Amino acid sequence: MRILVIEDEPKLGDYVKKGLEENGYIVDIARDGIQGRYLATQGDYSVILLDVMLPGVDGFGVLAAIRQGKDVPVLMVTARDQVEDRVRGLQQGADDYLVKPFAFSELLARVQALQRRGPLQEHTVLKLADLELDLVARKCHREGVRIDLTAKEFALLALLMRRQGRVLSRTTLAEQVWDMHFDSETNVVEVAVRRLRSKLDDPFARRLLHTVRGMGYVLEDRGTP
């Protein structure tokens, strides 16, 4: 599970990141509201931890941008403990509110609770044309035929299906699936896409996984072989 921490206090941000990673999470961290807003709206996260007092764009501005297109659970973490601040955050779409200072055990418990709640906001079976991906059972079928995928192939296909119709760059795929910053000399993305396409498209008449030259890859039904 990937979590985004948007926190401008370096020591606190690093402390939270370290603690979550020790509990098995992949953690990205943003140090200001502008970077946080970009990562939150462009990335795929299970939970977002969002500070209110941020440089560039405050937490309420980041939250508003998130809620324009995403239902990802958001936990607001802030030193502002006035009732009106908590009410404002919850009314604008925050799922929970935690006031600083806090015990990490409580933060972790709240993250886990939001994580359990998260799948209720998301379809567990993704579909495109005759392709089905069951996120819970971790099974893939096309035309009723079972397609066996490796863990990385499954993660890659899940990301493409969640954003079907949108072109995803190699950089985005590398960061979201392999948790790595893209190196132009690394062909891990191309190799993985080629292997996925050999299972997903080659045995069938119609192609769903397309290469957009100079931009990346897109999963969509174009209605033609």
Side-chain angles (χ1 to χ4, degrees):
M1 293 292 180
R2 182 182 293 270
I3 292 179
L4 174 62
V5 175
I6 307 176
E7 172 60 63
D8 67 323
E9 295 181 28
K11 289 185 178 180
L12 179 58
D14 292 343
Y15 167 72
V16 171
K17 183 176 189 294
K18 182 175 183 292
L20 290 171
E21 288 176 340
E22 288 175 349
N23 281 272
Y25 294 96
I26 296 173
V27 182
D28 293 337
I29 189 164
R31 306 291 186 179
D32 59 57
I34 295 174
Q35 183 190 26
R37 182 177 60 187
Y38 175 79
L39 292 177
T41 55
Q42 298 301 312
D44 284 322
Y45 296 97
S46 300
V47 177
I48 295 176
L49 307 186
L50 175 61
D51 188 20
V52 170
M53 302 291 287
L54 293 168
V57 179
D58 70 12
F60 295 118
V62 175
L63 180 61
I66 294 171
R67 288 297 176 246
Q68 286 180 3
K70 296 201 170 189
D71 290 327
V72 56
V74 175
L75 171 61
M76 299 197 82
V77 183
T78 179
R80 298 173 64 166
D81 61 352
Q82 290 84 358
V83 172
E84 55 268 28
D85 288 328
R86 296 199 299 273
V87 170
R88 180 184 176 189
L90 294 170
Q91 286 180 337
Q92 292 188 2
D95 295 274
D96 200 357
Y97 210 104
L98 184 61
V99 177
K100 302 174 184 175
F102 54 82
F104 179 79
S105 58
E106 182 181 2
L107 173 69
L108 181 61
R110 289 175 183 263
V111 167
Q112 291 170 338
L114 290 176
Q115 179 186 329
R116 289 193 297 270
R117 192 185 312 170
L120 298 176
Q121 301 170 342
E122 177 184 50
H123 296 295
T124 58
V125 178
L126 304 178
K127 298 182 180 181
L128 174 64
D130 53 9
L131 174 66
E132 289 191 4
L133 189 70
D134 190 322
L135 300 175
V136 176
R138 300 189 67 81
K139 293 181 180 179
C140 178
H141 292 84
R142 185 165 183 193
E143 294 184 2
V145 178
R146 172 75 177 267
I147 300 175
D148 293 321
L149 302 174
T150 66
K152 288 300 184 186
E153 289 168 350
F154 189 94
L156 176 59
L157 180 57
L159 177 58
L160 288 163
M161 289 198 73
R162 285 189 177 104
R163 301 197 193 178
Q164 55 187 267
R166 295 170 56 185
V167 178
L168 299 183
S169 68
R170 292 185 300 169
T171 300
T172 297
L173 296 177
E175 290 177 347
Q176 295 293 322
V177 178
W178 285 269
D179 191 31
M180 58 180 283
H181 296 293
F182 185 73
D183 183 343
S184 59
E185 296 181 358
T186 300
N187 67 345
V188 62
V189 175
E190 289 87 343
V191 171
V193 169
R194 186 164 57 247
R195 289 176 177 170
L196 179 60
R197 182 179 280 138
S198 70
K199 298 179 179 181
L200 190 69
D201 279 344
D202 290 354
F204 304 94
R206 185 165 47 181
R207 291 188 174 275
L208 298 177
L209 181 51
H210 306 277
T211 300
V212 180
R213 193 174 302 277
M215 296 180 64
Y217 304 95
V218 59
L219 191 74
E220 63 181 354
D221 181 11
R222 297 181 176 176
T224 56

